[in-house]
Amino acid sequence: MAAPTTEGSDRETGETLLTLHRSGRLAAEYPRVRGLLAGCSEAELRRAGNLLSRLRPEDVRQAHPGVPVVSVAVTGHGTLAPLVPALTAELARHGLLLRPHLADYDSYVFDLSDPGSTLRRFDADVVLCVLDPAVVLDELPVPWTPEDVERAWDEKLGLLTGLVTRYRSTGRGTLVLNTVPLPALLPAQLLEHRSRARLGAVWRQANSRLLELAQSHPGLVVLDLDPLVAEGIAVTDERLSQYAKVHLAPPLLARYAREVGHLARHLAGRTKKALLLDLDGTLWNGTLGEDGFDVLQGDHSEPFRFLQRVVRQLGSQGVLLGVVSKNDVEPVRAVLREHPRMVLREEDLVTVVANWRPKHENIAELAGTLNLGTDSFVFMDDTPAECGLVEAELPGVTVLRAGAEPAHHVATLLRDGWFDTLVLTTEDRARVEKYQQEVERRDFLQQSASVEEYLRLLGVRVRLSPVAPSEVARVSQLSLRTNQFNMTLSRLQPADVARLVAGPATSVLVVHAADRFGDNGLVGAVFLRRAADVVHIDGFLLSCRVFSRGIEQACLGAILRHARAAGATAVVGEHRRGPKNGAVRDLYPRHGFRQVTDDGTTTVFRHDLDSEDPLPVPAHLQFTDQCGGDTP
């Protein structure tokens, strides 16, 4: 799934980065790098990574404190230095800054098992334990048989299972393993075809067991390298493997780094939420205004039907789908509803926008309707002028240029994992329906005489309760995906949430909401900690779908009442500034807290619990408090 590029764009990128590097301005101009790397070839990305990896992360942070930093520790069996530049470039493509730690050669056992190791003290967001064929091959006798390979794999898998268990018991970051591709030179050493088949079965069974580790260990990710090798990438470079112990070829390490970049983007809270598609030439192969229902006729329609199948598959997993087209709306709806060859249907879509306005205006308006930032959107169009205009007017939108060959549309859509997530929850699968309900709520608001009448007739019902074990993954996901109402920019893995639940002085509360239009599900979380006679709100998250309905006031009031009943003298909350959570910076002062400190990044507020009922439940809202004694 290589990106379409031009030699000219590569040359321009390389020259610009080299000029910035030589002039010493690369750190100061770091926000430009994301745009410069867009559409670069893999060769140019490798060159860019070599330049960018020379930057000191602290210099970039000093110039741009708002740039998200992802700390990544790299360990494994072989030499992994070539991976760092590739990771640097891949994170830069997504507007992130890499803070790397490269462990010593073949130190992964000590790194993961010893809490005092340098890697563990680095306290990375992501720990990469890179596995290569030599992990097994170095354990084989000479001569060897498939049974020797099986024994070596059994021992290695036992070791890895123990390392994962020990690391997850105390480590914070997401641990990443990978499957191990079978190098062609190994089965070639067996002269009997039956023995080769046995070796292949042993190797694949071992990789299957590696992949299954992720099912039983929350916080572990196992990347499958077989699909990458299937793209034609060599597993090893024999010269580098034998002379330098680089046991995975640099192009494979680069593709591995791309997958890690997708993961890092998700952990930094930059997962995309919605996919918007053009119609003519993108989702179907004709022009509706000229061809009518013939837009999906003939053999040439198959690539478009394939794209529709893939888009519908994404939508079934919680990606919000919509179309934005320059067309008349009724013919568009007719095709979506009635065309016998359409795979994607109107009911799969959150919205259908078809008019003759500029597309960037429609996208901006849709963002307001769905209460999403424009940087939550991926937009795909086959017209370069439309793509360029959206990029210029809405730089937060990720624009995918569907080229002239429709058979490549799916690869263009999927190559960067824009919607990847660690865990898929029940709420994900119901997200499209919930946002369709949100559009109905907006229509209802417009028909109401006032906001007060809207809220009264909406019939909001809220339940605050301790988190259940089955809800831990959803709470983690909320922390990773929520940017607007995220008071402390908390980014928590499922294991982090579980530790807070189990802690003697900490607790996690969840917020459920519903109204006349349906059940919103689990829409918020509050992280509490008791220190002496003060209750600290270490995090407060609320989905953008339920803003401005009084839910935050009801929940804060319950926390204050519980703190008072538990003998606390104050409740303290924080707002940590981020690029998107400015709208809630006055949440605490609006609800009776006073400012205590402000260091330029984080503002601390305090409520002294000096009134009997400091924050009543809004009159329009039905509130159920199920916390009991489960708050600190």
Side-chain angles (χ1 to χ4, degrees):
M1 292 192 292
T5 60
T6 66
E7 182 180 345
S9 65
D10 267 6
R11 184 167 58 250
E12 181 181 352
T13 297
E15 290 175 354
T16 302
L17 287 175
L18 189 58
T19 298
L20 291 172
H21 170 69
R22 287 174 173 169
S23 65
R25 294 186 292 116
L26 191 50
E29 300 285 342
Y30 191 80
R32 291 181 57 193
V33 171
R34 181 181 182 182
L36 288 170
L37 297 183
C40 278
S41 69
E42 293 178 359
E44 183 56 39
L45 277 176
R46 286 195 291 273
R47 287 190 287 270
N50 287 327
L51 276 181
L52 293 168
S53 62
R54 301 176 195 175
L55 284 174
R56 296 197 319 154
E58 53 267 32
D59 291 341
V60 178
R61 285 285 288 174
Q62 184 174 1
H64 305 284
V67 173
V69 178
V70 180
S71 56
V72 179
V74 180
T75 188
H77 176 66
T79 300
L80 294 166
L83 182 56
V84 174
L87 288 171
T88 305
E90 289 297 338
L91 266 66
R93 289 179 60 241
H94 300 299
L96 307 174
L97 178 65
L98 174 68
R99 185 172 76 94
H101 169 78
L102 181 62
D104 293 336
Y105 172 79
D106 196 21
S107 62
Y108 71 101
V109 175
F110 174 72
D111 289 334
L112 297 181
S113 61
D114 189 341
S117 69
T118 304
L119 181 143
R120 296 289 288 274
R121 294 198 306 271
F122 183 70
D123 194 29
D125 301 312
V126 182
V127 176
L128 307 178
C129 179
V130 184
L131 306 176
D132 57 60
V135 166
V136 172
L137 303 188
D138 286 354
E139 305 297 326
L140 297 182
V142 179
W144 57 269
T145 66
E147 288 66 35
D148 293 316
V149 175
E150 185 172 28
R151 280 191 292 271
W153 259 122
D154 284 343
E155 292 174 3
K156 200 61 62 175
L157 286 165
L159 171 65
L160 289 169
T161 301
L163 291 176
V164 170
T165 301
R166 285 196 288 276
Y167 176 81
R168 290 310 311 159
S169 66
T170 55
R172 179 185 68 86
T174 299
L175 178 61
V176 180
L177 302 179
N178 59 274
T179 60
V180 182
L182 176 62
L185 292 184
L186 192 64
Q189 297 175 46
L190 296 172
L191 304 183
E192 182 189 48
H193 283 281
R194 185 169 57 179
S195 295
R196 291 181 183 177
R198 171 67 179 145
L199 173 64
V202 165
W203 203 274
R204 287 166 178 81
Q205 288 164 6
N207 275 327
S208 178
R209 290 166 63 187
L210 265 176
L211 291 166
E212 288 170 356
L213 279 177
Q215 307 302 313
S216 54
H217 291 81
L220 172 67
V221 172
V222 182
L223 296 180
D224 190 355
L225 299 193
D226 278 353
L228 310 185
V229 174
E231 294 177 4
I233 302 174
V235 175
T236 59
D237 179 314
E238 292 305 326
R239 294 180 72 252
L240 287 173
S241 179
Q242 295 179 38
Y243 290 128
K245 304 301 181 185
V246 178
H247 297 307
L248 293 177
L252 183 55
L253 287 175
R255 281 293 283 114
Y256 170 92
R258 181 176 292 273
E259 299 300 314
V260 174
H262 303 166
L263 174 63
R265 184 185 60 221
H266 173 64
L267 296 177
R270 295 196 167 196
T271 300
K272 301 293 182 176
K273 298 177 181 178
L275 171 62
L276 305 178
L277 298 117
D278 170 52
L279 293 175
D280 297 341
T282 302
L283 204 60
W284 55 52
N285 63 323
T287 301
L288 182 59
E290 299 174 2
D291 302 317
F293 258 50
D294 290 339
V295 291
L296 277 172
Q297 301 302 321
D299 294 339
H300 292 296
S301 69
E302 286 310 304
F304 297 94
R305 284 166 49 81
F306 180 38
L307 174 63
Q308 290 184 31
R309 286 196 292 272
V310 171
V311 168
R312 194 174 186 188
Q313 172 70 13
L314 297 179
S316 72
Q317 299 167 87
V319 177
L320 305 177
L321 305 177
V323 297
V324 178
S325 172
K326 285 188 174 178
N327 266 303
D328 293 323
V329 67
E330 288 310 319
V332 167
R333 291 188 183 277
V335 173
L336 290 171
R337 292 169 181 167
E338 303 167 16
H339 197 296
R341 289 176 62 78
M342 280 294 295
V343 178
L344 195 67
R345 294 295 182 182
E346 187 175 16
E347 59 266 25
D348 299 316
L349 307 173
V350 172
T351 186
V352 175
V353 180
N355 54 43
W356 299 95
R357 295 171 54 196
K359 291 185 179 180
H360 69 273
E361 293 181 4
N362 285 324
I363 295 172
E365 186 175 294
L366 180 59
T369 299
L370 298 178
N371 204 9
L372 294 172
T374 55
D375 59 356
S376 296
F377 291 98
V378 174
F379 172 64
M380 188 171 186
D381 199 311
D382 70 310
T383 305
E386 297 285 2
C387 291
L389 188 58
V390 172
E391 285 175 331
E393 297 296 329
L394 300 174
V397 175
T398 294
V399 177
L400 304 181
R401 297 172 183 254
E405 176 48 72
H408 296 160
H409 286 3
V410 167
T412 298
L413 173 60
L414 297 180
R415 74 179 298 269
D416 268 315
W418 297 110
F419 309 102
D420 288 1
T421 184
L422 280 175
V423 179
L424 202 63
T425 66
T426 302
E427 282 81 2
D428 289 322
R429 299 188 184 279
R431 183 174 291 119
V432 173
E433 179 184 356
K434 295 184 188 305
Y435 271 90
Q436 288 170 336
Q437 294 170 357
E438 189 60 28
V439 173
E440 293 178 6
R441 291 184 184 94
R442 290 298 175 114
D443 292 341
F444 181 61
L445 172 60
Q446 293 174 1
Q447 297 166 13
S448 301
S450 65
V451 173
E452 291 74 19
E453 180 188 59
Y454 164 74
L455 290 174
R456 179 173 57 82
L457 297 177
L458 190 59
V460 179
R461 304 184 300 279
V462 178
R463 174 167 55 90
L464 184 69
S465 62
V467 64
S470 61
E471 297 171 327
V472 166
R474 169 60 177 164
V475 171
S476 169
Q477 185 186 72
L478 263 180
S479 79
L480 294 172
R481 296 172 67 101
T482 303
N483 295 302
Q484 295 181 64
F485 197 128
N486 188 336
M487 295 300 294
T488 56
L489 303 179
S490 304
R491 308 293 183 199
L492 303 175
Q493 301 302 312
D496 299 324
V497 178
R499 277 195 286 270
L500 292 175
V501 173
T506 55
S507 64
V508 180
L509 309 180
V510 292
V511 183
H512 290 260
D515 57 37
R516 63 182 291 170
F517 290 101
D519 187 357
N520 287 293
L522 198 163
V523 295
V526 186
F527 307 101
L528 301 177
R529 172 176 52 88
R530 180 73 180 257
D533 59 352
V534 176
V535 173
H536 294 262
I537 304 175
D538 286 339
F540 190 178
L541 313 166
L542 204 60
S543 168
C544 58
R545 287 185 284 116
V546 295
F547 280 9
S548 305
R549 297 178 193 171
I551 294 174
E552 58 272 31
Q553 177 177 327
C555 293
L556 278 177
I559 292 166
L560 296 176
R561 287 189 290 275
H562 281 293
R564 184 186 182 96
T569 60
V571 174
V572 172
E574 297 181 356
H575 176 264
R576 185 177 305 155
R577 292 172 180 79
K580 299 182 65 177
N581 68 347
V584 295
R585 92 178 136 238
D586 66 341
L587 173 73
Y588 290 123
R590 274 194 290 113
H591 294 96
F593 288 67
R594 60 181 174 83
Q595 182 175 319
V596 178
T597 62
D598 186 342
D599 64 5
T601 300
T602 302
T603 308
V604 178
F605 301 93
R606 180 184 177 99
H607 196 296
D608 290 316
L609 303 173
D610 45 8
S611 59
E612 192 65 32
D613 189 6
L615 206 54
V617 174
H620 67 268
L621 188 148
Q622 178 183 325
F623 183 70
T624 303
D625 183 352
Q626 297 182 336
C627 294
D630 289 290
T631 55

